[in-house]
């Protein structure tokens, strides 16, 4: 079958009326209809908490009043950063060997370790501001970015496993509008368009996003506590907690040598044990269940259920209700606990002089890392296992990988599907 025919296939038979972009009227009608059923569970799954309590539970309406979520690099920090960038560049080492030892920050190190603790055990996010992005070359910016990030979370995850048709650990991804280079409707991920991104998570423990430049208009970053969303659902719709904790069929979008879909829950609860506090993780991306542009949901896998469709919308609209908006400035690095926070993006408009361009790392800090749920371990292994310093690639320019484009031929990066 031709690629164009594949792109035009309908979704699976019986798929509910749901698209990548949520529709509040459809959501409200579905919720009203489903709540009339006498068969909905009225209590939480056994062992699940009625309410989570932690600094990780916050509301966007007042989080800025109680928490200083940004750290501005001061003149001493910038001197130390500049010295480390110059030292590393003069060493001639590849970027994959950047680490706390090869990128020394004697005084700033303790600040960055406290930020790591805040990300894992505090409010779950922090923005470092003031990297002199316009002073550095593209390579020097990546050296500064990876160097700072290594003191927060030393382990970099792979975001692709091939580069220039050779095996590689691609550890950096560009988030930029590429619709001027590719047919917009062959793009399977909104990260590479100017479109709105709905609330979701990536893969891995920590997401780092470094702003090289900002849009002419829009492109706000939205963060929302998944623990706050859980508390509201637990209090008002315990049936949806059951739905989220049951297995879901994640579309693999025709990935070679893989089944059509893989199954696991969206929600993972870990009771307190030994020295670990209770933790709750929601890990998903909506497009795995609805498709997006060039990657429609596969026609030959089971459709999602009405309950799952409502749960997807509930996650989005409750996250939106409790979100905080952060505006990226050039030189900002946003670090987010991917295990406790949903993120989204507003649509944006670029101009010839102002074009939104972020670069992403997926990170892990073994010292402070949360225990990975068993259902997520295969995915985490694909990200973090056997990532070799000498094989790490930091592409200097953006391009689409196979997981982001409808046709999967001849692309320079083969991406890791993170759902």
């Amino acid at each position: 079958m031709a690629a164009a025919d594949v792109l035009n296939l309908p979704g699976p038979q019986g798929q509910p009326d749901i698209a990548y972009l949520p529709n509040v009227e459809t959501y409200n009608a579905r919720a009203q209809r489903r709540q009339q059923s006498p068969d909905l569970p009225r209590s939480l799954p056994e062992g699940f908490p009625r309410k989570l309590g932690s600094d990780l539970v916050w509301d966007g309406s007042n989080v800025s009043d109680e928490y200083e979520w940004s750290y501005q690099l001061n003149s001493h920090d910038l001197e130390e950063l500049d010295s480390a960038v110059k030292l590393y560049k003069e060493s001639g080492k590849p970027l994959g060997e950047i680490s706390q030892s090869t990128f020394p920050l004697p005084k700033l190190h303790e600040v960055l370790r406290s930020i790591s603790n805040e990300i894992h055990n505090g409010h779950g996010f922090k923005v470092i501001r003031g990297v002199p992005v316009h002073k550095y070359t593209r390579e020097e910016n990546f050296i500064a970015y990876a160097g700072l990030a290594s003191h927060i979370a030393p382990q970099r995850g792979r975001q692709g496993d091939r580069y220039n048709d050779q095996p590689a650990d691609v550890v950096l991804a560009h988030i930029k509008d590429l619709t001027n280079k590719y047919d917009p409707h062959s793009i399977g991920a909104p990260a590479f368009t100017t479109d709105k991104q709905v609330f979701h998570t990536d893969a891995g423990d920590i997401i780092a996003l470094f702003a090289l430049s900002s849009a002419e208009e829009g492109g706000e970053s939205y963060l929302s506590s998944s623990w706050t969303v859980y508390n509201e659902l637990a209090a008002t719709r315990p049936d949806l907690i059951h739905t989220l904790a049951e297995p879901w069929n994640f579309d693999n979008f025709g990935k070679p040598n893989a089944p059509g879909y893989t199954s696991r829950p969206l929600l993972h609860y870990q009771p307190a044990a030994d020295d670990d506090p209770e933790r709750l993780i929601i890990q998903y991306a909506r497009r795995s269940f609805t498709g997006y542009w060039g990657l429609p949901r596969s026609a030959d896998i089971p459709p999602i259920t009405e309950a799952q469709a409502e749960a997807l919308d509930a996650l989005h609209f409750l996250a939106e209700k409790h979100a905080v908006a952060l505006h990226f400035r050039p030189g900002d690095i946003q670090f987010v606990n991917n295990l406790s926070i949903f993120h989204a993006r507003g649509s944006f408009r670029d101009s010839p002089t102002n074009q939104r361009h972020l670069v992403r790392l997926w990170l892990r800090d073994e010292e402070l890392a949360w225990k990975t749920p068993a259902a997520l371990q295969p995915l985490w292994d694909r990200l973090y296992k056997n990532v070799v310093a000498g094989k790490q690639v930091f592409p200097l320019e953006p391009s689409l990988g196979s997981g982001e484009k409808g046709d999967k031929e001849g692309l320079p990066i083969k991406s890791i599907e993170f759902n």
Side-chain angles (χ1 to χ4, degrees):
M1 183 177 291
D5 294 328
V6 173
L7 293 179
N8 290 325
L9 281 174
Q13 186 175 2
Q15 179 83 349
D17 177 18
I18 188 169
Y20 174 76
L21 292 177
N23 181 290
V24 69
E25 288 81 11
T26 303
Y27 164 54
N28 288 334
R30 179 177 283 119
Q32 184 177 15
R33 184 172 64 248
R34 293 197 63 252
Q35 287 182 85
Q36 294 174 357
S37 170
D39 300 327
L40 294 184
R42 306 298 176 184
S43 60
L44 292 166
E46 184 177 355
F48 277 57
R50 297 179 66 180
K51 187 174 184 179
L52 295 165
S54 163
D55 284 343
L56 291 167
V57 179
W58 49 262
D59 191 282
S61 64
N62 58 17
V63 67
S64 296
D65 298 333
E66 64 184 45
Y67 172 53
E68 180 54 64
W69 50 262
S70 66
Y71 176 79
Q72 181 72 41
L73 295 170
N74 60 41
S75 59
H76 299 294
D77 297 334
L78 292 172
E79 288 176 8
E80 194 166 85
L81 176 64
D82 199 49
S83 175
V85 169
K86 290 177 180 177
L87 179 68
Y88 196 85
K89 191 171 183 181
E90 289 170 358
S91 74
K93 293 184 174 70
L95 271 65
E97 294 188 18
I98 293 175
S99 66
Q100 293 181 18
S101 60
T102 63
F103 195 89
L105 297 170
K107 296 180 180 178
L108 191 52
H109 172 80
E110 290 304 317
V111 173
L112 299 176
R113 292 309 298 155
S114 69
I115 289 175
S116 184
N117 185 64
E118 179 64 43
I119 292 166
H120 287 88
N121 301 310
H123 289 77
F125 68 102
K126 198 81 169 185
V127 178
I128 294 177
R129 303 199 122 144
V131 176
V133 64
H134 299 301
K135 172 183 175 180
Y136 293 143
T137 65
R138 177 65 58 84
E139 183 184 31
E140 289 167 345
N141 271 309
F142 289 0
I143 291 172
Y145 177 33
L148 286 166
S150 72
H151 290 262
I152 290 177
Q155 193 172 358
R156 291 182 286 271
R158 62 170 66 85
Q159 301 185 56
D161 54 18
R162 295 190 72 82
Y163 185 71
N164 287 338
D165 206 31
Q166 297 296 321
D169 292 330
V170 181
V171 297
L172 179 141
H174 294 256
I175 310 299
K176 192 176 189 297
D177 175 35
L178 297 179
T179 56
N180 60 342
K181 293 179 61 178
Y182 299 90
D183 175 5
H185 288 85
S186 73
I187 293 175
F192 310 103
T193 72
T194 62
D195 205 357
K196 169 183 178 178
Q197 278 188 287
V198 302
F199 283 97
H200 65 286
T201 67
D202 284 7
D205 295 42
I206 297 173
I207 309 164
L209 289 169
F210 178 31
L212 297 177
S213 55
S214 55
E216 180 71 25
E217 182 180 11
E220 299 85 357
S221 173
Y222 296 98
L223 304 180
S224 191
S225 164
S226 61
W227 287 34
T228 299
V229 170
Y230 172 88
N231 281 350
E232 185 158 345
L233 283 176
T236 61
R237 293 296 304 277
D239 60 294
L240 293 182
I241 300 297
H242 282 266
T243 300
L244 293 168
E246 294 167 354
W248 290 54
N249 297 325
F250 287 74
D251 196 341
N252 285 329
F253 294 113
K255 182 181 178 184
N257 304 315
Y261 61 92
T262 52
S263 298
R264 66 173 183 271
L266 268 60
L267 186 155
H268 312 265
Y269 176 63
Q270 300 172 327
D274 302 324
D275 295 329
D276 293 327
E278 70 172 349
R279 281 169 174 154
L280 180 127
I281 298 167
I282 301 177
Q283 201 280 328
Y284 83 110
R286 184 181 176 98
R287 71 185 180 100
S288 298
F289 311 105
T290 65
Y292 179 82
W293 283 12
L295 285 180
R297 185 162 169 87
S298 300
D300 56 350
I301 67 175
I304 66 173
T305 66
E306 284 288 316
Q308 290 174 331
E310 186 191 356
L312 285 176
D313 280 346
L315 289 179
H316 172 78
F317 286 113
L318 288 178
E320 190 174 65
K321 174 183 174 182
H322 297 289
V324 62
L326 307 180
H327 298 267
F328 272 116
R329 308 171 186 169
D332 283 357
I333 307 177
Q334 177 180 276
F335 294 93
V336 172
N337 183 334
N338 187 56
L339 307 179
S340 70
I341 291 178
F342 300 131
H343 64 279
R345 182 194 72 199
S347 61
F348 63 94
R349 179 177 63 86
D350 282 340
S351 71
T353 55
N354 294 305
Q355 299 183 7
R356 191 179 193 271
H357 190 175
L358 311 181
V359 283
R360 181 181 66 196
L361 295 172
W362 287 339
L363 304 170
R364 181 176 172 86
D365 179 4
E366 285 291 349
E367 180 183 338
L368 298 174
W370 294 15
K371 181 180 178 181
T372 304
L376 294 178
Q377 192 61 57
L379 175 57
W380 259 236
D381 285 346
R382 287 166 59 197
L383 264 64
Y384 295 118
K385 192 172 183 179
N386 299 326
V387 177
V388 180
K391 287 178 59 180
Q392 290 184 27
V393 174
F394 293 69
L396 294 181
E397 297 296 333
S399 59
L400 287 181
S402 63
E404 296 106 18
K405 191 169 184 289
D407 72 23
K408 302 184 179 183
E409 304 298 328
L411 297 167
I413 299 174
K414 183 180 178 184
S415 70
I416 299 293
E417 281 294 335
F418 54 78
N419 297 312

